[in-house]
Amino acid sequence: MLKIKNLHVSVDDTPILKGISLEIKKGEIHAIMGPNGSGKSTLSNVIAGKEDYQITQGTIEFEGKDLLELSAEERAHLGIFLSFQYPVEIPGVSVTNFIKTAINENRKAKGLEPMPAKELLKLIRERMELLNMDKSFLSRSLNEGFSGGEKKRNEIFQLSMLQPKLAILDETDSGLDIDALRIVAKGVNTLRTPENAFLIITHYQRLLEYIVPDFVHVLYNGKIVKTGSKDLALALEEKGYDWIKEEVAI
Amino acid sequence: MEILEKVTKSEYKYGFYTPLEADKVPPGLNEDIIRHISAKKNEPEWMTEWRLEAYRIWQTMQEPQWANIRYKKPDFQAISYYAAPKPKKQLNSLEEVDPELLKTFQKLGISIEEQKRLTGVAIDVVVDSVSVKTTFKEKLAELGIIFCSMSEAIREHGDLVRRYLGTVVPRTDNFYAALNSAVFSDGSFCYIPKGVRCPVELSTYFRINEAGTGQFERTLVVADEGSYVSYLEGCTAPMRDENQLHAAVVELIALEGAEIKYSTVQNWYPGDKDGNGGVFNFVTKRGLCERDSKISWTQVETGSAITWKYPSCILKGDNSVGEFYSVAVTNHHQQADTGTKMIHLGRNTRSTIISKGISAGRSQNSYRGLVKIGPRAINARNFSQCDSMLMGDQCGAHTFPYIEVENPTAKVEHEATTSKIGEDQIFYCNQRGIPTEEAINLIVNGFAKEVISQLPMEFAVEAQKLLAVSLEGSVG
Ligand SMILES: Nc1ncnc2c1ncn2[C@@H]1O[C@H](COP(=O)(O)OP(=O)(O)OP(=O)(O)O)[C@@H](O)[C@H]1O
Ligand SMILES: [Mg+2]
């Protein structure tokens, strides 16, 4: 589904990602862990198509298409979703209006009519139930005045509404309380099918207890320095990153 | 900033010109021209005299300099002060309306038929100063409501006009108000009798249509005791090279216990991307509130090269309420200096000001507001909120709040914010599959929501479309 080959990315001529290769197949869950500033969000943003990054080398393919040729919204239309580490606020735009616009723009790109209001409301109701969200969210301005945890849950709500092929969760667990973490994990597991894939960025292995990854990658200083099973996450949580630095002799 | 640049560089979509035959006076201004205009309109003697007096006052006045705008002064002797479209006969149905005019409405996507059918709006269409069409008049007449062109009102309801004209905006008020009083060609008159709730939104579409014709609209709305009316004013203008002057005067009178809601969507030609052409919009709008009455101004200003406009309320009666809700969008080289004056004279008077300025391109957008609490205005209250949004870094947003309080019991609150449409907000939308144009539309309409929500439903939809058009245009 997603094939990243030897990706090098700079910001203002400073190299941030230094040769990343990663393949995600449908049905798989990958986790990326790594210290602050190692380039995790940069990688997510580059996959999602944020401008302001210089791709100096390498390729990204999604279902055989060259992603680097496409705009952010075109990538979204292909089914790439990013749950942001820091979701932005859009004052005056309600959660409902925003998700409606997003869904209908995605449908438009596929040549479909807007989703009938009834169907939309039904889907919204189902998803809010799945994620234990209160109806009052729907009429609030997007992320404005939301608590950290509420913002994250709203990201997963959008994910569940848009049902992407590849969902990147950038530290969605940070800021969630224990109950919310379980609910979000349950949501993700419910949405999981053999046809879609998840890339989960996290600092803590706790989320990975609920959403069990097929692979865990360690991103360090712009490179994937180690790949393993979910046990790797446990080892990291126990021992920190120093042993990896030694092991890979950086 | 590339995305923002691209989308803010699109041009005015409503630039087209409808060739209507026009009956015009030669350019220039003197007492003979004024007599000529007055005679053409079959006005009574008192009206001619009133105009001449205004002209004499105007000659002693200077153009105002204080607004935060820059422009080449109009040559008042080069303007033709009167133009009437040729079809003179009275029209009773749409079939009789000039087909060119109907086409124009269709280009705007707001055909009269549609308006009539969908919204139940009575429309008094004003093209180049003379009303060519009035609908629903008979129905309104049953309720005693008068809704007609100013020319007709002067002829048929002379007493009412004479009693109220110039009482809220006197001829001496300012340079442009004096000029308007001397030469106004037409406009709308509306009278709601005591205790009557006007059942439809009264609406006028203005267009400036004849090259070199200054437009001097005069509107007078009188809501008698305990009555209610919602009045809509909207306009677009065709593309033009030379600057066009528009100096309207609107007077509202809310008698005891009455309520007037006055909504405007203004979309005159703003000039091209380089700042050539465009309408100069120098408007005086003011309302007078008697006891327990309320006047609410809502405006969506997207057009004109220069806007100079301060819809105001004189809260004369005790317990009267004034409201001002405004969205002003400026793009390219547009300049807007707009705001309101809330003059609290009576006791327990209240006013609310919500102003949203959106600046893009190289435009300048200023809010200028005065809240004045007179010595007798015990327990007066004002709340003002002025928010500015910037798109790109070559535009300007300015806020000039003036507060004068002469009564210690007054409570005046002012809040102001400035924000930027962030690349992050746009990327967030893009990531969800929303293209940049639609994203800006969403963000801007969210920003302006408090104001848009004050507009009558069908107008609100159009206003949202306008905000989108004036900021986004034809990307992609
Ligand atoms: N737009 C930018 N301008 C300058 N530096 C940037 C920019 N974006 C990222 N960086 C730098 O790139 C490095 C990687 O940042 P990134 O946000 O990808 O880290 P991260 O792994 O997500 O960290 P965290 O765990 O704290 O979220 C950091 O040193 C950061 O300061
Ligand atoms: Mg990060």
Side-chain angles (χ1 to χ4, degrees), chain B residues 164-266:
Chain B
Y164 292 109
L165 190 70
T167 58
V168 187
V169 180
R171 287 167 291 185
T172 49
D173 192 79
N174 68 69
F175 183 83
Y176 293 106
L179 179 62
N180 175 288
S181 301
V183 303
F184 73 83
S185 38
D186 213 336
S188 298
F189 174 76
C190 172
Y191 172 79
I192 316 291
K194 270 186 202 170
V196 170
R197 235 190 119 77
C198 183
V200 290
E201 321 267 357
L202 299 181
S203 161
T204 309
Y205 267 95
F206 295 96
R207 283 184 70 88
I208 302 178
N209 216 334
E210 193 61 26
T213 307
Q215 179 129 358
F216 301 90
E217 292 293 335
R218 186 90 193 189
T219 301
L220 177 59
V221 178
V222 182
D224 212 328
E225 293 173 15
S227 68
Y228 167 85
V229 63
S230 168
Y231 190 96
L232 317 180
E233 171 200 65
C235 58
T236 60
M239 183 147 345
R240 194 56 42 81
D241 278 329
E242 65 198 278
N243 291 308
Q244 292 175 302
L245 176 64
H246 181 92
V249 172
V250 175
E251 294 178 283
L252 309 184
I253 292 153
L255 296 178
E256 201 175 312
E259 181 176 347
I260 302 176
K261 200 171 155 57
Y262 194 101
S263 313
T264 307
V265 170
Q266 188 268 113

Side-chain angles (χ1 to χ4, degrees), chain A residues 11-12 16 34-43 52-53 85-86 170-171 203 219:
Chain A
V11 175
D12 299 333
I16 310 280
N36 296 135
S38 55
K40 303 181 298 293
S41 295
T42 304
L43 177 63
D52 317 327
Y53 294 98
Q85 184 175 3
Y86 305 109
D170 190 356
E171 294 197 27
H203 285 296
L219 186 63

Side-chain angles (χ1 to χ4, degrees), chain B residues 82-94:
Chain B
Y82 182 79
K86 269 284 158 58
K88 285 184 206 78
K89 61 176 177 166
Q90 203 55 46
L91 301 173
N92 299 311
S93 73
L94 282 175

Side-chain angles (χ1 to χ4, degrees), chain A residues 45 48-50 72-73 76-77 80-82 84 87-93 97-98 101-102 105-106 142-143 155 158 162, chain B residues 1-3 389 423-439 441-449:
Chain A
N45 286 337
K50 191 169 163 65
E73 67 266 26
H77 297 157
I80 293 176
F81 180 95
L82 171 58
F84 285 80
V88 302
E89 301 182 357
I90 308 187
V93 177
N97 190 16
F98 185 76
T101 308
E105 287 297 335
N106 279 291
L142 190 76
N143 291 324
E155 294 291 287
Q158 292 180 37
L162 291 166
Chain B
M1 289 326 284
E2 236 174 71
I3 313 170
M389 179 178 266
E423 299 278 305
D424 285 349
Q425 284 175 320
I426 292 174
F427 176 59
Y428 188 90
C429 295
N430 288 162
Q431 206 302 303
R432 297 301 187 248
I434 303 170
T436 300
E437 270 199 21
E438 191 53 42
N441 187 8
L442 201 65
I443 295 164
V444 165
N445 274 299
F447 174 72
K449 190 172 147 196

Side-chain angles (χ1 to χ4, degrees), chain A residues 57-78:
Chain A
Q57 262 189 72
T59 58
I60 309 180
E61 267 182 31
F62 185 75
E63 297 191 318
K65 293 188 187 74
D66 180 1
L67 269 198
L68 299 177
E69 290 289 304
L70 302 177
S71 68
E73 67 266 26
E74 287 167 331
R75 298 182 201 198
H77 297 157
L78 289 181

